[in-house]
Structures are given as structure tokens and as C-alpha cells.
Amino acid sequence: MSNHLYDALIAPNTEGTSCFLETDKEEISFAAFTSSAAQMAHVLVDMGVKPGDRVLVQAPKCAEMVMLYAATLQAGAVFLPLNTAYTRDELAYFVGDAAPSMIVCAPSAESELSALAKAGNASVLTLDKDGSGTLSSAAKEKSKHFETVARDAEDLAALLYTSGTTGRSKGAMLSHANLSSNAQSLVTAWELSRDDVLVHALPIFHTHGLFVALNAALMVGMRVKFMNAFDIDKILAALPVSTLMMGVPTFYTRLLADDRFGREVANNMRLFISGSAPLLAETHEAFTARTEHQILERYGMTETNMNTSNPYRGARVAGSVGMPLEGVEVRVTDPSTGAPLPDGEIGMIEVRGPNVFKGYWKMPEKTAEELRENGFFISGDLGQFDENGYLSIVGRQKDLIITGGYNVYPKEIEDVLNDVDGVRESAVFGVPDADFGEKIIAACVAETNSTIDQSALETALAEKLARFKHPRAFQTLESLPRNAMGKVQKNILRDSFDG
Ligand code: MCA
Ligand code: AMP
């Protein structure tokens, strides 16, 4: 039976005896991985998961979660991973919106998610950080052979939520072909091969750790040093016996901040790749001075997978995200008219190609706003091409903060703050941060004759929003600076922030 993405990524590895996932406790071969995935696919189908159903996963990073991803594809279902930091309120939205037929969560979240699952009749299984739980125990009983469910290139493979300027998260619908074509482009661009050894310390609920890293690794059959989180000691131990690392800029600033990191540690490495947030030119340069390696920066989005990359062979330009990947078209347009602009001019970055998603889940109007009829996706990022065809991102039209590689839309935080007693209005903005790139600051204006109680703000935020979205400092202002149109001038707040 043909299943587009499973056939591209997983089926070729069925007989592989070499190691795929190397964890703290074991080495899992490709063959063992595909057998375990097949057992999990039986569990899903036996519990009623049908082709096209969503399998929602909020579980700690572990090898079994990658097996579940493969199992979901093999069963013809749609993988929907969620950030482990999300609160009950956030989860309630995702469960309601995506209507999954299966939820897999940490044992500690089982009762909460079971309550949410009831409304939609979803089944619930557990998966803990050591791989144990009801999912794995049910899988053990199953056959290691599973008749792969047929899926076409245009069928959905994954639903990844990305927050938006309106405050409501949108589910980006990614097809089998979106993911396979992008993995292939990355394999070609970065000359990935089964001889590579990848240091994997990213979370696997986002595009970067899941698709950029794992789809590409599966496609070529490379070994992955699979770590639960970014732990500098483990990274320093792994680099001398690895060839490849993918990280957000915070990974690189943390490595540079450690005196143990230098040329010797990086000697065996072939390539360091950065993405998800801007890599400062000074980080790029300091890294080269320390190691003689030039970090390769690339640019992507949840909706489009990866769009551009600095070249593997050729100049890697600090402050630039490189050139369009094979098969991907990138243009810069006038934000008000949509007309393409000549090189050198700053405008809206638009992307078209087999990598571009199918639209937002159950949000046809949003899809129509951001995806042009001619197939170009309007990124919300502002950029310019130079005379050599290198793209630079110079700003964002969307009001977005990127902290440690996580995207946070101020509107979502402002909505929570504005509901707290005594708050008339608020404005949330990002300021530079040495570790996370940007950190979140909230400015609030009190109602007349009221004062703002910071602990009430913190309590409201703790209830509603994941910790990484919480402001790290609060300001109380008499009023918010506004322009003639009444729009809050966040640049003024940012420039006058002192702290
Ligand atoms: C953790 N905390 C954060 C973040 N991470 N706060 C703001 N921003 C963050 N990114 C908070 C915790 O809640 C905690 O708060 C404190 O910081 C320390 O937490 P800890 O878990 O120890 O942090 P860490 O392990 O040091 O994690 C930092 C990290 C991690 C390694 C930068 O956030 C990370 O792996 N980020 C990668 C995100 C990613 O994969 N993005 C790709 C998205 P407290 O102690 O105060 O309670 S995909 C994408 O963007 C596109 C498509 C693309 O192009 O790739
Ligand atoms: P996400 O919401 O996780 O899909 O994040 C996508 C956004 O991350 C893009 O629209 C950019 O604003 C940003 N981004 C990703 N890679 C880079 C990069 N290399 N430099 C600057 N911004 C980036």
C-alpha cells in the first residue's frame, strides 16, 4: 500500500541494523524503531483511530514519542504534537479545535486530559519520559508487522499549531508532500548522509526538532544523539563524536559562554545549523573565531517548513538567511499592493512551493488572508535580497516576540492582562536578552482610582498561559504611547524600557 511520507522516511529503514536513536539508556536500531512503530500503529487502529483522525500528543521528549509519530503516519492519521508547557486552558482550546480521536499525554496530565477528552469522545493513553505508560504496555502485546494505510501526497500528515496576531492559535495543515519535499530539499542542500551523527537537543513538538531534524535524519538513515533537553555538559560530550547540530541561536550563545567550548570540541563536526530566530552577526563571528566553523543559518516557518538556507558550499553570510531552497520560490513584495519589488528593496517575504501548507484548520478566512490564490504565502516577515541573491530578514510586520526560539504573540498575553481587575489596558513587547534573544515585558495602565497588583497579573498568567509566555518584567504607566492612528507605539516602549 502506498503511503507517501511513510514510504519516503520510514519504510526504507525497516531492515536497518544501524543505530537510529541513541538515548541516555539505549541504542535503538532502525529496524527496532520501525517494529515498535508498527506495534503502536496497531494500538492506534485497535482503539478506533481512522485515516485522517488527529492523534494529539503532549508528552515528554522520548524515543517512544518519535515511534508514535511514525506509527501515526503508518496508520494514516495526522500527528498533532503540543508544547509540554501548555496549561489546561490552552489544552482545552487545542482539544476542542482539533477534535482528536486519540490523546497521548504524560501520566501526570492524564486526569486533566481525560476530562477534556470526554467531550469529544477521544481515547487517552499515557507516555512518560522513560517511555513507559499505557501506550507502550499496550504496544508490547501487538504484532511487529502492520499493514501500512494508504495515503496520498496531498493527504494531511500533521497539524501544528502556531499562535497568531489575533491571539488565537491556528492549526497549520501539513501534507505528506509538504514534509517529504522539504526533507529532500534539506538533504540535498546540506549534503546529509547516513554517515552523519546529529546532536538533537531540540523539543520535538515544533517544526525544527521534529521535521527539520528528524525527517531529514530518517530520510538518509543517520544516527541521532537524542537528548531530553539542552544540557551543556551533554552537548559538550557529544560534539567530539558527532558531525551535525541543529539549534536555535540560544544554543550557540550558551556554547560560546562556556570556556570549555572551542576548536577541539568542534573538530569532528561537519556543520552547525541555526534557525527559528535571528542569529546575531556577532554570534556568527564569535563562533567562527572560536571554532573556525561558520554557522549555517536558515529560515523557515511552521506553515512553510524551511524556505531558505545559506549554502553548504559557498559563503555563509552573517545576518543573512541565504537563498531559496531547491523547489522553493521566495519573493519580496510591496506590503500594501503585493507587487514584487526589485532586489535591494525591503518588503514582505512571500513563499511558494511544495513546502507551503494546505491552509489553517477550520479557518478558511485566515487561510485566504495569508495564502494568495497564486500559491504565495504571506509570511509576515520583512526582508530584502542583496545583489548576490541572499535574503536578509530585517523586521516583522506581525507583532511577534521570539524568545529562545519560541514564538509568542503579544496579543495573547495582553488579552489575559486586560482581564485582570484594575487593568485598563496593556502592551506587551520584547527587549533584547543575551540568553533568549528577546525577553517579554508587559506595560499596564491602571483603571482610574485603581492600582495594579503584580501578583494578580502573575496569577492570571499562570492559570492561562505557558510559562515561557510570561513577561519577565512589568511596568505600570500613566498611558500607552500612541500614534495618530491610535496604534500603540511599541518601539517607544521598547526604546524607553530600562531594566
Ligand atoms: C524555557 N523558559 C523559557 C524558554 N524556555 N522562557 C522563555 N523562552 C524560552 N524559550 C523558561 C522556563 O519556563 C523556566 O522558567 C526557565 O526559562 C528555565 O527553563 P528551562 O527548561 O531550564 O530552560 P532551558 O532548558 O534552558 O530551555 C531554553 C531553550 C529551550 C533551550 C532555549 O527553550 C529550547 O529548546 N528552545 C527551542 C525552541 C524551538 O525548538 N523552537 C523551534 C520552533 P522559570 O524558571 O522562570 O519558571 S519551530 C520554528 O520556529 C520555525 C518553524 C523554524 O524556523 O524552526
Ligand atoms: P513559527 O511561528 O515557529 O513558525 O516561526 C516562524 C518565524 O520564526 C518566522 O516567520 C520568522 O519570523 C522566525 N524565524 C525563523 N527562522 C528565522 C531566522 N533564521 N531568522 C530570523 N527569524 C527567523
Side-chain angles (χ1 to χ4, degrees):
M1 221 27 114
S2 140
N3 174 311
H4 184 91
L5 190 58
Y6 186 85
D7 292 348
L9 301 181
I10 298 150
N13 295 312
T14 318
E15 308 290 327
T17 51
S18 61
C19 171
F20 171 37
L21 296 175
E22 178 190 332
T23 69
D24 275 349
K25 60 173 191 195
E26 61 187 331
E27 292 199 353
I28 301 166
S29 70
F30 282 98
F33 173 81
T34 50
S35 307
S36 299
Q39 291 179 303
M40 286 186 191
H42 279 293
V43 175
L44 297 180
V45 170
D46 292 353
M47 291 182 74
V49 173
K50 295 188 184 53
D53 281 3
R54 276 74 56 211
V55 174
L56 182 151
V57 188
Q58 193 205 29
K61 183 178 176 183
C62 59
E64 287 71 12
M65 187 165 157
V66 189
M67 294 165 188
L68 178 61
Y69 167 52
T72 304
L73 294 179
Q74 196 171 14
V78 178
F79 195 62
L80 192 182
L82 290 177
N83 195 320
T84 45
Y86 286 144
T87 61
R88 190 199 169 279
D89 271 45
E90 290 166 306
L91 291 172
Y93 170 74
F94 295 121
V95 172
D97 193 58
S101 65
M102 170 64 74
I103 294 176
V104 179
C105 65
S108 56
E110 188 181 6
S111 62
E112 198 165 87
L113 273 158
S114 298
L116 294 176
K118 252 189 207 135
N121 276 329
S123 308
V124 178
L125 289 168
T126 62
L127 178 58
D128 213 346
K129 59 177 184 295
D130 60 1
S132 65
T134 52
L135 170 66
S136 296
S137 38
K140 265 191 212 115
E141 311 299 322
K142 306 290 182 188
S143 158
K144 293 183 175 171
H145 299 281
F146 179 86
E147 196 60 44
T148 304
V149 174
R151 290 271 95 182
D152 288 338
E154 296 311 311
D155 284 325
L156 290 196
L159 189 60
L160 257 61
Y161 277 87
T162 165
S163 19
T165 42
T166 57
R168 271 187 79 203
S169 287
K170 302 167 286 184
M173 299 190 287
L174 295 155
S175 71
H176 281 237
N178 290 153
L179 301 180
S180 68
S181 67
N182 210 237
Q184 185 58 62
S185 301
L186 299 180
V187 166
T188 306
W190 300 336
E191 300 188 16
L192 304 177
S193 82
R194 54 172 307 163
D195 296 331
D196 276 314
V197 180
L198 172 70
V199 176
H200 193 302
L202 288 160
I204 54 172
F205 42 70
H206 279 311
T207 297
H208 198 165
L210 183 62
F211 301 142
V212 181
L214 290 177
N215 282 357
L218 278 162
M219 187 169 257
V220 298
M222 74 173 71
R223 174 188 283 255
V224 176
K225 287 185 169 288
F226 198 65
M227 303 174 181
N228 295 343
F230 184 91
D231 173 328
I232 189 91
D233 294 334
K234 288 188 181 162
I235 304 268
L236 289 171
L239 288 174
V241 286
S242 303
T243 65
L244 199 62
M245 186 167 95
M246 298 183 191
V248 295
T250 301
F251 283 23
Y252 296 106
T253 51
R254 286 187 182 182
L255 278 171
L256 285 170
D258 196 304
D259 290 339
R260 295 170 294 173
F261 180 64
R263 202 165 300 176
E264 272 180 21
V265 175
N267 222 359
N268 195 56
M269 289 289 289
R270 186 171 73 78
L271 187 57
F272 291 92
I273 301 170
S274 177
S276 307
L279 181 77
L280 295 180
E282 67 193 55
T283 308
H284 189 281
E285 282 148 17
F287 200 89
T288 305
R290 181 88 72 89
T291 64
E292 287 180 10
H293 280 278
Q294 290 198 317
I295 299 174
L296 181 151
E297 187 172 7
R298 58 56 175 181
Y299 159 60
M301 305 183 66
T302 304
E303 290 90 336
T304 62
N305 298 285
M306 297 305 101
N307 302 319
T308 68
S309 171
N310 270 277
Y312 179 62
R313 293 174 196 276
R316 298 179 198 158
V317 177
S320 155
V321 292
M323 289 161 275
L325 287 163
E326 198 176 80
V328 180
E329 280 176 87
V330 179
R331 66 180 193 178
V332 171
T333 59
D334 181 328
S336 48
T337 64
L341 292 172
D343 288 353
E345 291 200 26
I346 295 174
M348 176 63 68
I349 299 174
E350 299 190 10
V351 184
R352 179 164 73 179
N355 53 317
V356 174
F357 75 145
K358 312 299 287 178
Y360 294 114
W361 176 256
K362 296 201 289 204
M363 288 188 184
E365 305 83 18
K366 273 271 148 216
T367 304
E369 273 170 35
E370 298 184 26
L371 196 55
R372 295 187 190 282
E373 268 176 20
N374 65 8
F376 273 101
F377 177 68
I378 304 167
S379 70
D381 294 314
L382 300 172
Q384 85 193 112
F385 276 108
D386 71 9
E387 65 281 9
N388 298 317
Y390 284 72
L391 180 71
S392 296
I393 299 173
V394 298
R396 299 175 203 129
Q397 200 181 54
K398 52 194 177 192
D399 187 15
L400 162 72
I401 300 167
I402 307 184
T403 163
Y406 286 143
N407 289 8
V408 179
Y409 281 85
K411 175 78 165 62
E412 196 181 8
I413 304 164
E414 290 160 1
D415 284 348
V416 174
L417 296 175
N418 294 345
D419 277 350
V420 175
D421 277 350
V423 177
R424 175 188 299 163
E425 58 175 353
S426 63
V428 168
F429 54 98
V431 297
D433 179 75
D435 189 29
F436 285 147
E438 282 187 287
K439 73 177 168 197
I440 305 172
I441 311 296
C444 297
V445 177
E447 294 281 14
T448 316
N449 299 327
S450 284
T451 51
I452 293 175
D453 173 7
Q454 188 174 318
S455 65
L457 301 179
E458 286 168 344
T459 306
L461 290 162
E463 195 184 311
K464 302 268 185 211
L465 299 178
R467 174 77 184 128
F468 68 88
K469 298 178 187 172
H470 296 190
R472 297 293 152 152
F474 295 88
Q475 296 179 309
T476 303
L477 300 180
E478 292 291 312
S479 62
L480 297 176
R482 291 196 139 87
N483 65 14
M485 314 285 289
K487 190 171 180 309
V488 177
Q489 291 171 298
K490 294 197 175 176
N491 54 328
I492 294 184
L493 291 171
R494 206 172 288 128
D495 293 345
S496 57
F497 177 75
D498 184 17

